[in-house]
Amino acid sequence: MSAVAAPLNVPELFHEMEASGDWDVEEALFLTFNADVAFLERGVLGLCQSMGARVTVIADAGMWRPDPIAMKGAGTQYLVGLASHSGAFHPKLTLLVGGDRVLALIGSGNLTMGGWQHNSELWNVLRAEDGQAPQALFDLAEWLELLPGSVRLASDHAAALNRVAARLRGTLERFTPIDDGAQLITNLDQSFLSQLPGGPVDELTLYAPFIDEHARAVRALVEHFPTPKLTLVVQPGLTVVEPQALASVLRAQTGLTVVADTSHRYRHAKLVEWRRGAYRQVLTGSANLSAAAMLDTVSRGGNVELGILTNVDEPLWPEPGLDPNHRVQLESITDIPALRIGTLAPEMTGLAVPQLLSGVLVGNELKIELAYPVPFAVELEYTNNPLNDSWNRLGTMVAGHSNASFPAGQLGDSALLRLNWAGDDETILARGPAVPASVPERLRTRPAAGRAAGGPRIKSRDDLLGVDLRYLDAFAGQLTKIHEDVTALKTTRSSGTSTASGAARNAEFEEEPAAWLWELEQTAQHLHGPVFSGFALGLPTPVQSTGWENFDSSETGDLDADAAVYGDDEIAPPADDPEPGEPLMHAADPYRIKKARRDRVRAFATMPGRLSTVSYLGLARLALCFYCAGDWKENDPEPIRLVSSFLSKALDQAHTSGVGDEAKALAAVALTCVRRRADNTATSPATQEAKRLHDRCRDLDLGAVPLPLVAEYTQCLSAPGGRPLETADVYDELQTFSEHPLLDAAMLAAEGHGYDAEVLGPNSLQISVRSRDPLQGALKILAASKVPLGVVALSQTTGKSAIALWSDPDLYCIEIDDRDRWVHYRSTHSLNVILAAIQSFEGRRFRVDHGPFNQAIPEAKLLAERLGVQMPRKAGVPQGVCPACYMVLTPAGICATCEA
């Protein structure tokens, strides 16, 4: 039946439905103002496909500005429809239709991460089940049937909408309509305001993120509902409003309270709530407090809106859980900061802008439809791979036409199209947004269920990381299925067109498989399930509560406008550093369980063929979790090698998959774990593997990865000693890693030996040792470095100092005491060979004779100068060294240690 308007964790609802295994969905329809195709493909599409649904998305054509690289499955795995209208196409509807049940969500959230999780939204849930369905669902079916005739849709998009409406109507025939108090409000031929019960009310509450420029809708609502108590809720700096106009409208209003919601979570919900005695009603849905939404009809150029009128027992404002400190009463409306959303440039508004709605591949022909006949000739371009931003001319759209056909032999199945034309001065080239070319035969087919046969479904992160190894076995089967999909995809592309075209595509597949991994990305999420996808991509675990949580995230959601000509400026609230989660600990697990985990991760690494980036990210994180949890012995090089291997493959493919930030964030976390665990005081297989990971990450801009991703990837991981790994640990490690790249290994070695170290220059550092022989300490640091390096070593015990200089193939050792000692070694093998000989008192085999040992070696002085090491002028305490603690003085002659 109908649920009262309330906050809803939509991803959690979808996860539960998909995981239950008893939802056979034929059609999934999403109507939205803004559409984030990257969010759709990464977080929604796989769930719908796993339930067997054909997916249709219809968004506002004027707001359609997708990232071409994000559209991996558009036109082949789901249909993107664009609605063109003089107002905004603004409904927010999620509809799932099966043979024996229906679920509809009508609310305020767009098909974006913000709309589905990060914003404060309100949703009404309508269900047809147990033989009964709310009357509002029957009214929704009628509205969907009328919608194609009310806005401009391409013929294939209108057909898809008609198909969904027919399927909804057919399913509802099996249910008895009931009046549960929920009334569907639409504005195809009647305004929203005209459908609301009028007359005086005891109190009225209004909120929307957008109030029109002259506050016409607010004026009409307070006249429609005369009240002695009006509450207006705003979010300063986020609510789009002209305070002076609003103050003028409400000047004579008695009992006015203006409340500022100062919480960081963007309040995108729309709310009109009124009370007469104990009887309370609310209007929720997509309509802002604007004339185009509340006062106009679609036929008169207003927005296309969708709302629900329901009875409620408790007020929806303020929400439970909202901190009272975030509800601040303002003294005056003019205390609200003005916020405007600027319109687009004049040449980009109005019907003069060519608007591509659809491109359909039928055999060797491409049929395109525009929103209206173009007043001038425009060029049609295409790309089969937007990764390299290579767009090619396909043909010209003749002035006065809105439909055309072009040869499609050059187009791949996942081709993208766009229009371009000259600007008003005929010198500026204007380009329209990318629109996917649709392949009807692939869109008509319902996807098969994606569960791995014979294995459990991964429903939580704990399943994958726990002691029940069946989940790892199931995941192994899913990875195998991906390889089968590679072959199937390759075969489909080969046989989809003529022999010559198929051969060309097959060759392209062999040469550039990363381009075709676009579609495998979705396959990976479809097979692994949403939990594993989130685990791999660093997405937060879905929130279990349905309250108004204040999400800690840099996501800003959607700053909606009231018409298609407005942009959606982003305003980012500050993000707090989340608390680290409890680390995973496997030390007490039975040996057979730990061995089974190791064996399974090894098997993943030896799988033939190529996996998707999502899979490699998931495997790298899985191996890292097991490594930190204690499934391998200390200083075993294998887990580092496995993590490095999976990460390297993910990093190699990340730029083609739109997950570069995720790959870099996981690399930063892995680097921190490895650096803090590997023994850097000696050369060993583990340190060699750690060095390879360092080298792989050397050129990455790891310092720029988003904080929420790093915070999520540290979940389940421990630092040495068992405490939870924290985000600060990662950034501290990265600072050392990035500030002194040539000294990184040497600084790690100094830390491992317990030496105090200070950087002198890009190729030199100073250490303070507790042993009597500072030269041995300097040589230990050189052993860890693979680059030219100078080390100044000072003994805290004896006050002696020494300098070691290395530049392949020369090693200079200078001991500074009452009498200086200069020794030169040379070997064409390696530094370690020289050091091993010195350790075994056979260093003379590599020694170069320069005369007396107390005589300075000119070549050593030149090398010291090149490495940034200042040589002493005499024996004893060198110039520029503190006589008390033997540390190097600052340029001002002050000892930072003694502060004198």
Side-chain angles (χ1 to χ4, degrees):
M1 296 344 97
S2 299
V4 174
L8 177 67
N9 191 317
V10 183
E12 181 184 28
L13 175 63
F14 268 57
H15 292 170
E16 291 176 352
M17 292 167 54
E18 190 276 340
S20 70
D22 60 354
W23 273 81
D24 181 25
V25 181
E26 297 179 29
E27 301 285 354
L29 173 67
F30 301 93
L31 303 185
T32 181
F33 182 50
N34 295 334
D36 181 349
V37 291
F39 167 72
L40 166 68
E41 296 197 8
R42 284 166 49 174
V44 182
L45 182 61
L47 294 170
C48 296
Q49 290 178 325
S50 188
M51 291 186 282
R54 286 182 290 260
V55 178
T56 302
V57 178
I58 298 182
D60 186 287
M63 291 300 297
W64 178 251
R65 302 185 191 97
D67 178 359
I69 296 178
M71 287 192 290
K72 303 162 189 171
T76 55
Q77 297 185 48
Y78 63 97
L79 179 68
V80 172
L82 301 177
S84 179
H85 182 58
S86 56
F89 183 79
H90 204 251
K92 315 296 193 299
L93 169 68
T94 294
L95 177 65
L96 302 180
V97 184
D100 59 355
R101 67 175 80 183
V102 176
L103 174 74
L105 308 179
I106 299 174
S108 57
N110 286 300
L111 186 58
T112 64
M113 177 67 82
W116 274 44
Q117 185 152 354
H118 291 299
N119 299 341
S120 284
E121 309 280 5
L122 286 173
W123 295 93
N124 287 272
V125 183
L126 309 180
R127 300 175 185 267
E129 55 190 1
D130 299 328
Q132 295 181 324
Q135 179 60 45
L137 276 180
F138 292 86
D139 297 338
L140 179 64
E142 181 180 357
W143 181 75
L144 288 174
E145 291 167 346
L146 296 173
L147 190 57
S150 302
V151 296
R152 177 74 173 94
L153 290 168
S155 55
D156 56 319
H157 303 158
L161 197 56
N162 288 331
R163 185 190 70 229
V164 174
R167 179 65 272 183
L168 174 60
R169 181 73 74 179
T171 298
L172 290 177
E173 290 177 354
R174 307 177 184 180
F175 294 85
T176 300
I178 61 168
D179 184 3
D180 61 355
Q183 178 185 345
L184 189 75
I185 304 294
T186 69
N187 66 332
L188 294 184
D189 52 13
Q190 296 182 71
S191 71
F192 264 47
L193 187 66
S194 67
Q195 299 173 68
L196 303 181
V201 295
D202 295 323
E203 61 178 292
L204 176 66
T205 301
L206 302 176
Y207 176 75
F210 184 92
I211 299 174
D212 62 60
E213 183 179 8
H214 301 292
R216 289 177 54 204
V218 172
R219 181 193 299 275
L221 282 165
V222 295
E223 291 175 352
H224 190 82
F225 291 114
T227 180
K229 183 179 181 181
L230 172 64
T231 300
L232 179 69
V233 183
V234 296
Q235 265 193 306
L238 292 174
T239 300
V240 177
V241 60
E242 288 281 3
Q244 297 296 336
L246 188 61
S248 175
V249 165
L250 298 178
R251 183 177 295 111
Q253 177 66 45
T254 59
L256 173 63
T257 302
V258 181
V259 180
D261 176 0
T262 60
S263 61
H264 292 156
R265 193 178 182 193
Y266 179 41
R267 184 169 302 285
H268 190 251
K270 288 81 172 168
L271 176 66
V272 179
E273 180 177 330
W274 60 93
R275 178 183 63 82
R276 290 189 180 95
Y279 186 62
R280 188 179 296 271
Q281 289 184 294
V282 295
L283 171 67
T284 57
S286 65
N288 282 296
L289 296 175
S290 69
M294 286 285 181
L295 310 182
D296 296 334
T297 64
V298 173
S299 59
R300 292 180 176 272
N303 296 345
V304 180
E305 305 283 1
L306 191 60
I308 291 281
L309 177 62
T310 54
N311 304 323
V312 295
D313 296 327
E314 299 293 334
L316 297 187
W317 168 266
E319 305 84 357
L322 182 63
D323 190 336
N325 293 326
H326 289 157
R327 305 196 301 268
V328 180
Q329 185 169 333
L330 302 180
E331 293 185 4
S332 170
I333 292 177
T334 54
D335 291 339
I336 307 171
L339 181 64
R340 306 172 184 85
I341 301 181
T343 61
L344 301 178
E347 65 269 16
M348 293 296 290
T349 60
L351 296 183
V353 178
Q355 211 168 58
L356 178 62
L357 296 184
S358 171
V360 180
L361 284 168
V362 182
N364 287 323
E365 185 180 31
L366 172 70
K367 298 182 177 180
I368 69 165
E369 291 187 48
L370 277 61
Y372 42 83
V374 288
F376 45 80
V378 296
E379 298 296 321
L380 178 66
E381 296 180 330
Y382 77 95
T383 181
N384 291 321
N385 183 4
L387 297 172
N388 55 20
D389 199 29
S390 175
W391 290 81
N392 306 293
R393 180 180 178 277
L394 188 63
T396 302
M397 189 74 192
V398 180
H401 291 261
S402 60
N403 299 71
S405 297
F406 298 91
Q410 309 167 70
L411 274 64
D413 288 351
S414 55
L416 300 178
L417 309 169
R418 74 181 183 191
L419 300 175
N420 71 44
W421 60 95
D424 287 348
D425 60 1
E426 298 185 356
T427 61
I428 302 174
L429 191 66
R431 293 189 174 94
V435 174
S438 299
V439 184
E441 61 270 19
R442 295 185 63 174
L443 292 171
R444 281 193 292 264
T445 304
R446 288 182 62 195
R451 292 178 176 80
R457 185 71 164 165
I458 300 169
K459 298 180 182 178
S460 74
R461 186 167 59 192
D462 293 338
D463 289 340
L464 199 62
L465 303 176
V467 297
D468 189 344
L469 301 177
R470 294 178 302 161
Y471 291 102
L472 287 177
D473 294 336
F475 178 54
Q478 294 164 359
L479 291 179
T480 301
K481 180 66 169 61
I482 290 179
H483 294 303
E484 297 172 1
D485 286 350
V486 173
T487 305
L489 175 63
K490 180 177 173 182
T491 303
T492 300
R493 290 184 176 279
S494 300
S495 60
T497 59
S498 64
T499 303
S501 177
R505 296 182 190 188
N506 198 40
E508 187 177 354
F509 184 96
E510 295 293 349
E511 293 173 4
E512 269 193 286
W516 307 121
L517 282 172
W518 281 9
E519 296 186 26
L520 294 182
E521 287 298 336
Q522 190 56 55
T523 303
Q525 294 171 65
H526 182 192
L527 289 173
H528 303 337
V531 172
F532 186 83
S533 296
F535 176 76
L537 294 167
L539 300 177
T541 303
V543 178
Q544 299 302 314
S545 169
T546 56
W548 291 64
E549 297 85 0
N550 198 349
F551 288 85
D552 292 325
S553 171
S554 61
E555 294 284 347
T556 62
D558 313 293
L559 187 56
D560 261 4
D562 191 57
V565 298
Y566 290 105
D568 56 340
D569 298 350
E570 294 185 355
I571 301 176
D576 298 326
D577 193 357
E579 291 292 328
E582 287 299 317
L584 199 66
M585 295 295 183
H586 289 166
D589 286 358
Y591 174 78
R592 63 178 182 83
I593 297 293
K594 293 193 285 187
K595 181 179 183 299
R597 293 191 186 106
R598 297 195 300 269
D599 291 343
R600 180 53 73 191
V601 176
R602 290 188 195 109
F604 292 148
T606 58
M607 293 187 73
R610 189 169 187 178
L611 298 177
S612 72
T613 313
V614 171
S615 300
Y616 283 132
L617 285 173
L619 289 173
R621 191 177 184 190
L622 188 68
L624 187 63
C625 285
F626 290 164
Y627 166 54
C628 292
D631 287 294
W632 278 270
K633 291 183 178 180
E634 189 175 354
N635 293 325
D636 189 331
E638 183 181 52
I640 306 175
R641 176 177 57 80
L642 291 170
V643 170
S644 298
S645 174
F646 295 138
L647 260 180
S648 293
K649 293 173 181 176
L651 289 167
D652 289 342
Q653 297 174 185
H655 70 285
T656 67
S657 309
V659 291
D661 283 346
E662 289 83 352
K664 288 191 291 185
L666 185 55
V669 174
L671 193 64
T672 301
C673 293
V674 170
R675 285 164 62 91
R676 298 201 169 191
R677 280 174 168 77
D679 182 4
N680 295 290
T681 64
T683 300
S684 68
T687 57
Q688 292 298 318
E689 293 295 343
K691 179 63 166 57
R692 292 188 183 95
L693 179 60
H694 293 168
D695 293 342
R696 180 62 182 84
C697 298
R698 183 71 65 193
D699 296 330
L700 297 177
D701 183 14
L702 297 179
V705 295
L707 176 65
L709 282 173
V710 173
E712 175 59 26
Y713 280 134
T714 58
Q715 298 297 309
C716 304
L717 301 179
S718 64
R723 68 171 177 81
L725 186 71
E726 300 179 5
T727 307
D729 296 327
V730 179
Y731 279 88
D732 287 346
E733 204 68 39
L734 290 181
Q735 185 174 8
T736 302
F737 180 75
S738 59
E739 283 186 352
H740 308 290
L742 298 178
L743 299 178
D744 181 65
M747 293 291 286
L748 281 175
E751 181 181 348
H753 285 290
Y755 301 157
D756 294 330
E758 179 183 350
V759 174
L760 301 179
N763 293 84
S764 59
L765 58 85
Q766 175 180 279
I767 62 172
S768 177
V769 302
R770 293 179 177 85
S771 67
R772 300 177 62 85
D773 188 353
L775 180 59
Q776 291 302 316
L779 294 178
K780 289 178 181 179
I781 302 304
L782 285 187
S785 177
K786 303 301 180 185
V787 297
L789 180 66
V791 180
V792 178
L794 306 171
S795 172
Q796 299 175 6
T797 303
T798 65
K800 295 180 179 180
S801 60
I803 297 175
L805 309 170
W806 164 253
S807 179
D808 192 16
D810 297 300
L811 169 65
Y812 297 95
C813 299
I814 308 165
E815 296 179 82
I816 304 169
D817 201 346
D818 294 335
R819 299 182 65 185
D820 297 345
R821 178 181 172 85
W822 299 66
V823 182
H824 177 199
Y825 301 94
R826 174 177 289 174
S827 173
T828 57
H829 298 289
S830 70
L831 174 62
N832 287 331
V833 172
I834 303 176
L835 296 178
I838 294 173
Q839 191 70 26
S840 60
F841 302 101
E842 297 181 359
R844 61 182 177 276
R845 292 192 303 151
F846 303 102
R847 198 162 58 204
V848 180
D849 185 22
H850 289 274
F853 289 138
N854 64 353
Q855 180 177 318
I857 302 173
E859 293 86 347
K861 289 185 174 182
L862 291 174
L863 178 59
E865 183 178 356
R866 181 160 58 88
L867 295 177
V869 176
Q870 184 178 3
M871 300 301 298
R873 294 183 180 178
K874 61 180 181 178
V877 179
Q879 182 181 11
V881 174
C882 175
C885 67
Y886 301 94
M887 296 297 285
V888 173
L889 301 177
T890 67
I894 298 174
C895 176
T897 303
C898 299
E899 296 183 355

